[in-house]
Amino acid sequence: MQDDSPRPVFIGRDRQLAALVEDAHRVRSEGARALLVCGDAGIGKTRLVDEYRDRTPLGRTAVGGCLELGGDGIPFAPFTALLRDLSRDGGAGPVPGAGPVPEADGTGRARLFESVLTFLEERARGDGLLVVVEDLHWADASTRDLLVFLMSNLGEAPVHLVATVRTDDLHRTHPLRRLLPQVERLPRVSRLDLEPFSRDEVAAQATALRGDPPADPDLLHERSGGNPLFVEAFLDGPGGPLPDGPRELLTSAVDRLPDDTRRVVGLIAAAGDRIGHTLLSAVARRAGTGEEALDAALRPAVDARVLRATAEGYVFRHALLAEAVYTDLLPGERIRAHRRYAEALQRGVPGLDAAGTALQLAHHAHAAGDQPLALSTAWAAARHAADAAAHPERLVLLERVLELWDLVPDAAERVGAPRAEVLRLAAAVCLLAGSLRRAVDYATEGLEELGVTGHHDPGVKEPPPHRALIAGLRYVRAYAYKDLGSDGALEDLADAFVVMERGDPHQAAAGALLASTFMVRGHPTRARHSAERALRTAREAGDRGSEADVLVTLGSLAPQEDPDRALRLLTEGIALARATGYVHAELRGWINLSGALSAEGRAAEAYDTARRGLERTGELGLARTQGPAFRLSMGLSRFYQLRVEECERLLDPAAGDRLIRARTWTLIQQLAFYRQDAAGAERALEEFRRLLPEESSSPTEYTPIRFTEMMRTAVEGRFDTAAGIARRLLDEGDRDAPHLDGRYMSNLSSVAEVVDMMRDEPEWRERAADLTAVLREAAAALPRDMPHPVDRLVRDQAAAQSSQDAAAALRTLEGLLPQVREHRFHRVHLLLAAARAAARAGEPERAAAHLEEVEGAARESGLTLFAELADRVRRAHGLPRPRTRAAGEAPAGLTQREAEVLRLAALGMTNRQIGEKLFISAKTVSVHMSNLMGKLGVANRGAAAAKARDLNLA
């Protein structure tokens, strides 16, 4: 029964339609854009989007609608529909729910999102693609997550993503209330709000619908409120009294239908605002209505435009109408309708896949009040949600199982597991969904369910009941505590090992988690011991994934102890993880290998390694979700090389997970600080603290923040605060073996800088002497045979900067400079230290030479604080300022002709234009450009132009 009735006339939205079409043209020329079409129910959102679909300049269109099932959601419902539609003309697409999503290491959801993104990008090639998601206010959590991911990552693909949102239905706790402001802040997202019709527009709509102008347009406008749906509904009964309210207004057309039709319409409303014919037919049979009788009952509803027939089933003319009809059902009618749906779904409905059947069955059983069936079907539906990596929906279903548990006497038999196991599973799903605190709560409740309130005595030989379940709950809670940066993870893991049976298959994974927890909590020695044990356990158990994970942890811990071994372990861990498909460990290995190379001062190799890791995320289909960590690592490498413009191009503080975003803000703060941009540094710090509150985050994450704070207070002359921070940093090392703690060694280097700055200030020299003694003692306590070259450098640097023998300090510091040619950030600070030592040793020319290199680095990088620090050294020691150029003298060793060529190139002239200006050939200009770029140490014309501005040539 296909509906061929004409579409209502399009009235009053010309400006909004033009905005949509204009947005589409921008999509074709500039790349992806997203638009939220917002307004009250019945205001005409769908009508506007339908008109736009007819007029869009984009080549393809796909539409999917969110389904309202009384609070339940079918995961990815709109994307399932629109991706299947797009797949029909070009091979199979990544349709969520079409098959299990691999979830062994927690990357299945990310891979699914990336595959959907790639599929849409491919379908958009050529003339572009319009993707419409209707009724976003009903979207399940997974759909919302996928939509935000697409909005953030579609980039240059010509995709127009349009979503309709009913804003009058967003109550205070509705998830979209919090989400919409975040989405609207994304760079390519805009919002279009639809206002009610004016009096003239209401009159025009009524005239178009009835053929004659309304008798009283003012009254019609007043009673309808300018809502197009209500205007249309008021015209259905022109001779009768006006309805009292929206519900009566909407149901007035239904009230005039035959009794059999009203019963069928009510049956459809129990399924939401749309239903497939096959399912409706099966449900109608349960209600005693055969196929022919069903068709006869449906015809009046379609003729009255209460329902619209589609190729697959029936849709209410408006979702508000479906809500009104459902609300108008008596309680008994509702329960019977839901029960019939449940019965039909239990028997099986042709054409409805297993996942869809399970999820709808769970909804209808719950709505029918059949608690035993609701519990069983929710448990089954949770398994299907797991296959689709729909973590939020899976969690909702598990929570329903827990809510019904005490109401169903044989709940454990129906589920096949005790309640504590359901709690453990809910906690594990919370980890996947990113709800770490709820994971802690569920795991804690599971332990209490088993009577576990304290820790087990390792000396008791009799094992506790449910020991494997207790260990599993401890493991999940420890994982959550670790990622929260909270106390308790180590204690939970210790108890897990006490109760765990020898040979437990999860023993290696628990050991790997223990080692990494010790590492992030700042206990490298304990982390090494735990990792060595976990490695033996993993190999004995044949747990290759945990073995790879532990190898990466050991490699991450080894640089201070044995740099070569660190690189071997990390490389071995990456290879093993790749061979076994353990993606999380492999990518973690690439990141940590880049970090290990950076810690050795091999910034270029660190950059190349991170780039290879980024390429690997693309091969795995994880570039958008996992790639930000690698771009940050590449940015750090460029920062250390003082290639600041390249660094900033790699940074995106809106990309990646919470930890990566926070670390990105850390680097942004350092850049702003060294640029002397106080407001930018303060904003970056605020964003960092918002993402990682200090009271609940790992101390390791706050190390660079404290370094910047210490340097800032020292630069401002607040040396009392700076000295206090310095002492705290020196107290944070691994007390058993501080030289094996990379964080401690980094702190030692930064404290040495502050000590040296204090010694330049006469009024602070006495206080500096105390901190100098502490620094000297710390440096002297480090072993002489440390294997890591950078650690030896830091030790010798700290000893020199705390030495009273300026000449000896100068020899040491100048001897260290060749070791940091590549790590130019460290080199600048070392040059400042060498300049101070030279000035104190009575070597002003050597001091000036070091300061000139610092000032050159400041000009090249734009990090102006370097130049100010150099100037402070000059003032403190009475050193002459840099020689100013004589009139007509070219800067930076350039010839006069080279300087003139550079000035014109910076103005945007081509070689031919420069040649004409200077009366030389373009080939000669090219030679001058090559020579001057070599002198300036830049690789391209753009960098040369930037250098010209630094040299005041442009």
Side-chain angles (χ1 to χ4, degrees), residues 484 658 688-698 702:
L484 283 167
R658 183 170 59 102
F688 174 86
R689 292 187 183 279
R690 180 180 63 80
L691 290 164
L692 292 182
E694 189 165 6
E695 65 276 6
S696 61
S697 300
S698 169
Y702 269 79

Side-chain angles (χ1 to χ4, degrees), residues 45 257 482 515 689 784 865:
K45 299 181 294 295
L257 295 173
K482 176 210 165 194
R689 292 187 183 279
R784 304 306 303 171
L865 181 59

Side-chain angles (χ1 to χ4, degrees), residues 323-344:
E323 292 176 23
V325 171
Y326 183 73
T327 302
D328 208 37
L329 294 175
L330 296 171
E333 290 177 310
R334 290 185 205 163
I335 290 173
R336 284 194 299 274
H338 287 298
R339 185 183 301 135
R340 285 162 181 159
Y341 274 101
E343 291 168 351

Side-chain angles (χ1 to χ4, degrees), residues 710 714 718-731 747-748 750-759 764-779 798 801-804:
M710 180 179 66
R718 295 189 288 122
F719 287 111
D720 51 349
T721 303
I725 298 171
R727 284 184 176 274
R728 289 200 300 276
L729 288 174
L730 291 179
D731 287 340
N747 290 344
L748 197 64
S750 57
V751 168
E753 174 74 8
V754 171
V755 168
D756 226 2
M757 291 172 68
M758 290 177 69
R759 293 171 66 192
W764 287 99
R765 282 175 187 158
E766 184 176 343
R767 179 72 182 275
D770 296 335
L771 188 57
T772 299
V774 173
L775 179 64
R776 189 184 304 119
E777 182 181 342
Q801 289 183 264
S802 60
S803 172
Q804 300 301 317

Side-chain angles (χ1 to χ4, degrees), residues 643-719:
R643 296 166 67 167
V644 173
E645 289 185 3
E646 292 180 59
C647 167
E648 290 185 307
R649 283 197 295 269
L650 289 161
L651 301 182
D652 182 358
D657 60 25
R658 183 170 59 102
L659 185 61
I660 295 303
R661 296 199 306 274
R663 289 175 177 175
T664 301
W665 282 114
T666 298
L667 182 50
I668 292 172
Q669 187 208 20
Q670 286 191 306
L671 286 164
F673 170 68
Y674 279 96
R675 277 204 179 101
Q676 298 181 291
D677 176 8
E682 184 61 30
R683 176 175 178 257
L685 179 60
E686 289 175 3
E687 293 292 339
F688 174 86
R689 292 187 183 279
R690 180 180 63 80
L691 290 164
L692 292 182
E694 189 165 6
E695 65 276 6
S696 61
S697 300
S698 169
T700 305
E701 301 301 332
Y702 269 79
T703 295
I705 295 294
R706 289 204 181 94
F707 163 76
T708 304
E709 183 184 6
M710 180 179 66
M711 286 294 297
R712 178 175 59 83
T713 54
V715 168
E716 293 171 357
R718 295 189 288 122
F719 287 111

Side-chain angles (χ1 to χ4, degrees), residues 239-537:
L242 293 175
D244 293 330
R247 190 183 67 79
E248 292 82 1
L249 175 66
L250 291 166
T251 57
S252 59
V254 179
D255 292 340
R256 295 192 296 271
L257 295 173
D259 290 347
D260 289 346
T261 300
R262 287 204 311 274
R263 279 193 290 272
V264 170
V265 169
L267 199 61
I268 296 172
D273 71 330
R274 67 196 65 200
I275 191 172
H277 179 80
T278 305
L279 176 58
L280 176 60
S281 178
V283 173
R285 280 197 301 274
R286 307 296 302 176
T289 302
E291 286 280 356
E292 293 183 1
L294 176 62
D295 288 342
L298 286 166
R299 174 59 66 183
V302 173
D303 291 342
R305 298 187 62 251
V306 170
L307 296 176
R308 179 168 57 86
T310 68
E312 297 177 349
Y314 307 92
V315 181
F316 275 93
R317 177 165 55 97
H318 197 282
L320 277 177
L321 180 56
E323 292 176 23
V325 171
Y326 183 73
T327 302
D328 208 37
L329 294 175
L330 296 171
E333 290 177 310
R334 290 185 205 163
I335 290 173
R336 284 194 299 274
H338 287 298
R339 185 183 301 135
R340 285 162 181 159
Y341 274 101
E343 291 168 351
L345 290 164
Q346 277 184 297
R347 292 174 65 90
V349 177
L352 193 61
D353 59 54
T357 298
L359 289 161
Q360 292 195 54
L361 179 54
H363 164 70
H364 289 294
H366 186 61
D370 188 337
Q371 292 163 347
L373 181 61
L375 181 141
S376 301
T377 54
W379 179 254
R383 289 198 297 272
H384 286 284
D387 288 341
H391 308 314
E393 291 71 30
R394 184 185 180 194
L395 183 57
V396 167
L397 291 161
L398 291 172
E399 288 174 334
R400 180 176 296 168
V401 172
L402 292 168
E403 290 169 6
L404 294 169
W405 195 273
D406 292 336
L407 303 175
V408 180
D410 60 344
E413 288 75 17
R414 285 177 173 272
V415 167
R419 184 171 181 271
E421 171 59 19
V422 182
L423 287 163
R424 185 202 67 77
L425 196 56
V429 176
C430 284
L431 289 183
L432 294 170
S435 301
L436 300 177
R437 297 195 182 280
R438 288 172 75 188
V440 170
D441 292 342
Y442 280 127
T444 301
E445 187 178 348
L447 290 168
E448 292 171 352
E449 176 82 9
L450 298 175
V452 178
T453 55
H455 294 87
H456 293 85
D457 184 351
V460 175
K461 294 184 178 180
E462 186 67 26
H466 309 291
R467 60 198 297 186
L469 184 49
I470 293 171
L473 287 161
R474 291 284 193 196
Y475 175 84
V476 172
R477 193 168 72 173
Y479 210 118
Y481 277 144
K482 176 210 165 194
D483 283 1
L484 283 167
S486 304
D487 294 333
L490 298 174
E491 293 81 357
D492 269 337
L493 287 168
D495 195 59
F497 282 113
V498 168
V499 302
M500 201 177 285
E501 187 176 2
R502 183 172 179 79
D504 187 296
H506 301 104
Q507 203 164 19
L513 178 60
L514 180 63
S516 63
T517 303
F518 271 132
M519 182 171 69
V520 299
R521 297 298 291 175
H523 304 291
T525 303
R526 295 180 183 178
R528 283 181 184 82
H529 295 326
S530 299
E532 295 286 2
R533 286 197 303 271
L535 183 61
R536 290 193 295 271
T537 302

